[in-house]
Amino acid sequence: MKQFIKITGILLVVLIGMSSCESNKSVQQYLLEKQSSSDFVSITLPASLLNIALDSLGSEEREAVNSLKKLNVLVYHAPSGDQQAFEKEQAEINTVLKNSKYEDLMRAQTHMGSGRIMILGSEAKIDEFLAYGTDLKSNFILIRVLGDHMNPKHIKPFLTALQESDVNEDELLGLLSSLKPKKE
């Protein structure tokens, strides 16, 4: 009887552990799951798309640009502006972000929407940046930035390098604004 109780107890602990793991979806799992949904547009952009001329940069800007490898972009558009669908999806992503290992670096709130930047790793060695923004109506965007040896000190030099780059802003804005969900 003691053996039966012991085995039953172990099985319960394993089952509870497995179910709690499944309920804490990671950001990567969320991105992978949603990329095939008709309400989402998912795109991976290599850092080279930014077309930044490294030879014209200072050492700090060059280090910042070289640390960036790719961006995973996930855009959500609520079907026909459905506020209820938007709120449901927003609650899901907020739960994923809350239960994740990412730490807030910065938050912003305006009358048009809100945004936050989060990091995974230590401030000295960041494994990933996350940028999440919503217009508070029916759309949001989640950007996962992957790289090597990223550091918060890279943000300002990277933005400086981006301003001085040969990025075709019309092309990039056209690409981003054309990200509409595919309809099945």
Side-chain angles (χ1 to χ4, degrees), residues 11-84:
L11 285 174
L12 281 173
V13 169
V14 169
L15 287 173
I16 290 170
M18 286 174 55
S19 67
S20 67
C21 289
E22 291 173 13
S23 65
N24 288 335
K25 188 184 306 181
S26 72
V27 171
Q28 184 175 7
Q29 289 169 325
Y30 181 83
L31 287 166
L32 290 171
E33 176 185 304
K34 299 302 179 175
Q35 73 183 6
S36 60
S37 170
S38 63
D39 295 328
F40 287 85
V41 174
S42 175
I43 188 169
T44 298
L45 303 170
S48 61
L49 180 72
L50 301 175
N51 200 23
I52 298 173
L54 294 175
D55 55 342
S56 66
L57 302 178
S59 62
E60 208 173 65
E61 287 91 2
R62 189 176 299 120
E63 182 182 349
V65 171
N66 283 332
S67 71
L68 181 65
K69 297 301 173 208
K70 69 178 177 178
L71 295 88
N72 300 128
V73 181
L74 185 70
V75 179
Y76 175 74
H77 298 282
S80 303
D82 182 348
Q83 187 65 29
Q84 199 171 20

Side-chain angles (χ1 to χ4, degrees), residues 93-145:
I93 185 58
N94 284 333
T95 299
V96 169
L97 294 174
K98 180 181 175 187
N99 293 332
S100 72
K101 295 179 182 177
Y102 292 88
E103 294 181 35
D104 277 336
L105 188 61
M106 183 178 86
R107 286 181 180 246
Q109 182 79 35
T110 71
H111 69 281
M112 296 185 316
S114 64
R116 48 196 287 209
I117 295 177
M118 296 155 278
I119 60 170
L120 181 63
S122 67
E123 285 192 31
K125 183 185 175 289
I126 296 173
D127 299 318
E128 296 177 19
F129 276 101
L130 272 187
Y132 171 67
T134 178
D135 68 2
L136 300 177
K137 292 183 182 170
S138 60
N139 306 297
F140 67 75
I141 186 168
L142 179 65
I143 303 171
R144 181 178 177 222
V145 180

